Amino acid sequence: MARIVLLKDGQSFPYELKSFPARMGRHPDCNVQVDSNMVSRFHAQLVEVDGKIMLEDLASGNGSSVNGKALEKHQPHPLHHNDRIKLGPIKFRFEDEGEDSSSGMIAGLDLSDGATSTIMGSASARGFGVFEVRPEDKLRGILKINQSLAGLIDIGGIAIKILDTLFEIFPQADRGTILMKEERGARTPQNAPQRRFVPAAQKRRQEGDDESVRLSRTILDRVLNDKAGILSADAANDSRFSASESISSLTIHSMMCVPLLSIEGEPFGIINLDTQNPMKRFTDEDLELLLAVANQAAHSYENARLMQSYIDKQKQDKEMKIASGVQRALLPEKLPEVPGYRFYASYDAAQAVGGDYFDCFMIGERKVCISFGDVAGKGVPGALIMSRIASVVQNTMSFTDDVALAIHRINSHMCHNMVEGRFVTYILGVIDLDTNRITIANAGHMSPLIRRANGEVDEIDDSTIGIPIGIMDEYPYEVIEREIGEGEMFILITDGVDEAMDPNGELYTKERVREFVGTGSPDPEELGRALLSDVRRHANGRDQNDDITIMTFGRFSVGK
């Protein structure tokens, strides 16, 4: 994937190139918008010709250049990985991972090809607290970095703050760069994880200095693999670099490169300082000082990262608490109270929010709607679909009490824009209080249990079960009708009940539910609460692995 990177105030702002032409300029319609009066409204554009990305100046007022060479107007110029671009005074870097000679390890850097740096000294990145060399300078540097980073939790701003402080500690430094490990990580063709580092901040002491990030691959490999700091000699005058424009053009007279180590001791970043003044080369003592300061900077960065993670977690927990309250509001606050019937329901999500669903409400004055379902999946995805079906059911049942028509419409609504792999097992029923008959359709859910007045337990024939909601539009669901006898009770559960596990992994099972229902209380609320308690006893402290929802309702003699 190619991208153009805006270099501004020591930081990098990447723009992925997904389509062409990609216009660059001050106008809001530009793909890469630049906020500068020195840039024309439509200054330049990136075009693709025969698979090659090229830069074309659009007759801009202040011109465009690539690697210091001015472009002719309306004459596309081919771009290569790490080419430096200027639109007027505004600087960019072109990156094309397909041309990256670093095999994906370093992104956005010029690395010397086939060359090795003259490494004059190195020091272990471990044991930064030891004060063998210039202890007063080490202590002063650590105090200075602590003072500058104190209270910072903005991870994005720490890198440039570190460089500002390092330029105070090392007055001979002309350029500084901090690389950070890219979170998403590149992968090799064998699909194995590969370390990939990208510029997080850059700083130059003089405005005219070259802003490019050009480092020796040898030094980077050594720093990352050995987790050690490196002091390099005069690379520009070393005969082994004679063929490397990327090194010789920088006239680097001395450089230091040290790792930033995580709490686990793994490198997550790199600090590189260099000087172009042959009279002010870095020394071994400078390297020791940089290691000490880098260690403290790494701790500050890790602390900021942990603090940011904590803040993000607090925010997420707060949002999930709000989401849980919203989901609870979708469930009925109270169930219908009608002579001759009793209703009960309980809902316990395995996470902050869940995918189980139930509803029970009056249709007019003499009918009761029973709506009960289980979304495939739990957590936030399940909750989103649960909220959708809750809304669809309420809207549908406000226009009809015909179960066959209603479930057809509910399924049709849920099929539209349904996420692949998500569906809802669902039961829809309507009780006619005048005839004491229930009309019911089952879309892929386990059959309701029916406890008769004499304690026998039965269930509706599984052959009447259709496919879950949200899979096939226009599916012809079968609708059955039966009388609710006096003393009969219906029990609906989700699979969080029968699949509840104990610490040994043993399931509660549907058979155990049947046995409990047969010997339990004939009162819907008492039976529902007792069943939930028995499931909890079976789990014996094991974490709930699925949402648990129970609904019970039954018919009784008026006055009981």
Side-chain angles (χ1 to χ4, degrees):
M1 173 68 72
R3 62 181 175 178
I4 196 82
V5 181
L6 171 64
L7 306 173
K8 182 179 180 182
D9 299 329
Q11 299 189 58
S12 303
F13 302 91
Y15 296 85
E16 300 291 344
L17 301 177
K18 299 179 180 179
S19 61
F20 298 94
R23 292 185 294 182
M24 306 169 66
R26 201 173 69 249
H27 196 278
D29 289 343
C30 287
N31 304 84
V32 180
Q33 187 179 2
V34 183
D35 185 16
S36 171
N37 291 330
M38 300 296 289
V39 174
S40 301
R41 293 169 71 249
F42 295 100
H43 195 106
Q45 67 179 0
L46 295 157
V47 296
E48 189 173 29
V49 180
D50 297 329
K52 186 69 179 176
I53 298 176
M54 312 181 85
L55 178 68
E56 177 186 356
D57 184 87
L58 299 176
S60 62
N62 291 311
S64 307
S65 67
V66 176
N67 296 327
K69 181 180 179 181
L71 300 186
E72 295 183 17
K73 301 185 188 306
H74 296 297
Q75 294 295 318
H77 181 86
L79 295 177
H80 300 281
H81 182 61
N82 280 325
D83 274 352
R84 288 162 291 149
I85 298 170
K86 278 190 177 182
L87 305 186
I90 306 302
K91 301 168 185 177
F92 294 85
R93 182 176 62 249
F94 174 72
E95 297 181 357
D96 188 348
E97 295 178 2
E99 293 186 0
D100 191 355
S101 62
S102 62
S103 300
M105 189 186 75
I106 306 295
L109 309 180
D110 279 349
L111 302 179
S112 55
D113 296 324
T116 57
S117 299
T118 304
I119 298 175
M120 297 299 293
S122 66
S124 172
R126 304 173 184 83
F128 292 141
V130 182
F131 287 79
E132 303 94 340
V133 181
R134 294 162 58 185
E136 68 283 358
D137 288 342
K138 283 190 175 181
L139 182 59
R140 190 179 299 113
I142 290 172
L143 291 175
K144 187 179 287 290
I145 202 75
N146 269 345
Q147 183 180 16
S148 65
L149 300 181
L152 278 181
I153 61 172
D154 177 18
I155 295 177
I158 287 182
I160 189 63
K161 198 72 173 178
I162 292 174
L163 285 181
D164 288 341
T165 306
L166 290 177
F167 269 48
E168 294 180 27
I169 297 173
F170 298 98
Q172 69 269 50
D174 290 315
R175 282 187 301 250
T177 302
I178 293 182
L179 312 179
M180 289 294 181
K181 191 172 185 179
E182 194 173 36
E183 292 296 330
R184 58 188 177 90
R187 293 190 173 270
T188 65
Q190 291 77 26
N191 205 36
Q194 182 115 322
R195 290 178 302 187
R196 181 179 174 86
F197 290 80
V198 296
Q202 304 169 48
K203 185 175 176 67
R204 297 165 290 148
R205 193 173 294 277
Q206 301 296 330
E207 190 63 30
D209 287 347
D210 192 316
E211 77 282 358
S212 300
V213 184
R214 300 183 181 184
L215 305 178
S216 162
R217 184 187 295 123
T218 300
I219 288 179
L220 288 171
D221 285 344
R222 179 83 171 267
V223 170
L224 293 173
N225 293 331
D226 296 350
K227 303 175 185 177
I230 295 297
L231 174 65
S232 176
D234 190 345
N237 294 327
D238 194 314
S239 62
R240 286 172 292 181
F241 288 99
S242 59
S244 176
E245 184 274 336
S246 63
I247 292 295
S248 61
S249 66
L250 287 176
T251 63
I252 296 174
H253 288 281
S254 184
M255 65 184 294
M256 296 187 294
C257 192
V258 300
L260 294 168
L261 299 183
S262 66
I263 296 174
E264 295 79 17
E266 293 300 318
F268 68 86
I270 295 169
I271 297 177
N272 185 85
L273 295 179
D274 70 57
T275 176
Q276 296 172 281
N277 189 335
M279 306 301 295
K280 296 182 179 180
R281 297 183 182 181
F282 296 119
T283 65
D284 289 332
E285 292 184 349
D286 289 327
L287 180 62
E288 285 284 341
L289 176 56
L290 180 58
L291 284 168
V293 174
N295 177 62
Q296 197 60 40
H299 289 333
S300 296
Y301 186 90
E302 286 283 88
N303 288 338
R305 183 180 62 82
L306 293 173
M307 177 59 73
Q308 189 62 56
S309 296
Y310 173 76
I311 292 173
D312 291 343
K313 181 64 165 59
Q314 291 286 92
K315 180 181 178 181
Q316 184 183 48
D317 289 346
K318 183 178 180 179
E319 290 174 348
M320 290 302 293
K321 187 174 181 180
I322 294 173
S324 178
V326 171
Q327 185 176 43
R328 288 284 177 182
L330 295 174
L331 302 175
E333 291 185 9
K334 55 186 297 187
L335 302 181
E337 296 180 3
V338 294
Y341 284 86
R342 296 175 192 164
F343 299 88
Y344 168 79
S346 68
Y347 173 79
D348 292 272
Q351 301 175 16
V353 291
D356 281 5
Y357 156 74
F358 76 88
D359 205 349
C360 183
F361 53 91
M362 297 296 299
I363 303 175
E365 296 182 356
R366 301 302 300 165
K367 291 186 177 180
V368 179
C369 178
I370 303 293
S371 187
F372 192 86
D374 184 358
V375 176
K378 50 185 179 290
V380 174
L384 291 173
I385 296 176
M386 175 269 194
S387 65
R388 184 180 175 196
I389 193 170
S391 174
V392 168
V393 169
Q394 284 282 347
N395 288 334
T396 301
M397 302 310 294
S398 65
F399 291 102
T400 182
D401 59 11
D402 185 323
V403 171
L405 177 60
I407 198 165
H408 172 81
R409 288 182 176 176
I410 292 169
N411 180 54
S412 180
H413 277 292
M414 296 301 292
C415 281
H416 293 162
N417 301 320
M418 179 62 98
V419 179
E420 184 177 354
R422 299 287 178 179
F423 53 85
V424 185
T425 62
Y426 179 66
I427 292 175
L428 177 65
V430 172
I431 303 172
D432 189 324
L433 300 177
D434 292 326
T435 62
N436 294 312
R437 298 185 69 83
I438 183 170
T439 307
I440 192 167
N442 189 333
H445 201 81
M446 69 179 79
S447 291
L449 296 177
I450 302 171
R451 174 187 162 122
R452 303 189 186 280
N454 60 6
E456 292 181 0
V457 179
D458 197 3
E459 58 185 280
I460 298 174
D461 190 353
D462 285 349
S463 64
T464 64
I465 300 176
I467 66 173
I469 293 291
I471 293 180
M472 181 188 298
D473 200 359
E474 303 295 334
Y475 181 84
Y477 289 99
E478 184 175 350
V479 175
I480 64 170
E481 184 179 340
R482 73 182 301 276
E483 183 181 2
I484 303 177
E486 194 171 296
E488 282 189 342
M489 178 167 46
F490 282 64
I491 299 92
L492 286 68
I493 61 171
T494 58
D495 53 14
V497 175
D498 61 310
E499 294 180 2
M501 293 185 193
D502 67 7
N504 297 321
E506 183 180 339
L507 300 177
Y508 189 79
T509 74
K510 181 76 173 288
E511 280 305 311
R512 185 161 178 173
V513 176
R514 288 177 64 97
E515 293 175 7
F516 190 90
V517 168
T519 59
S521 170
D523 180 78
E525 182 172 352
E526 291 180 6
L527 179 67
R529 293 185 184 279
L531 177 58
L532 178 60
S533 296
D534 197 56
V535 171
R536 298 285 189 213
R537 278 193 297 271
H538 172 79
N540 194 22
R542 176 166 179 156
D543 289 340
Q544 185 177 328
N545 63 311
D546 203 353
D547 306 326
I548 295 176
T549 304
I550 299 170
M551 176 183 278
T552 56
F553 59 91
R555 178 188 170 198
F556 299 89
S557 298
V558 177
K560 282 192 176 181

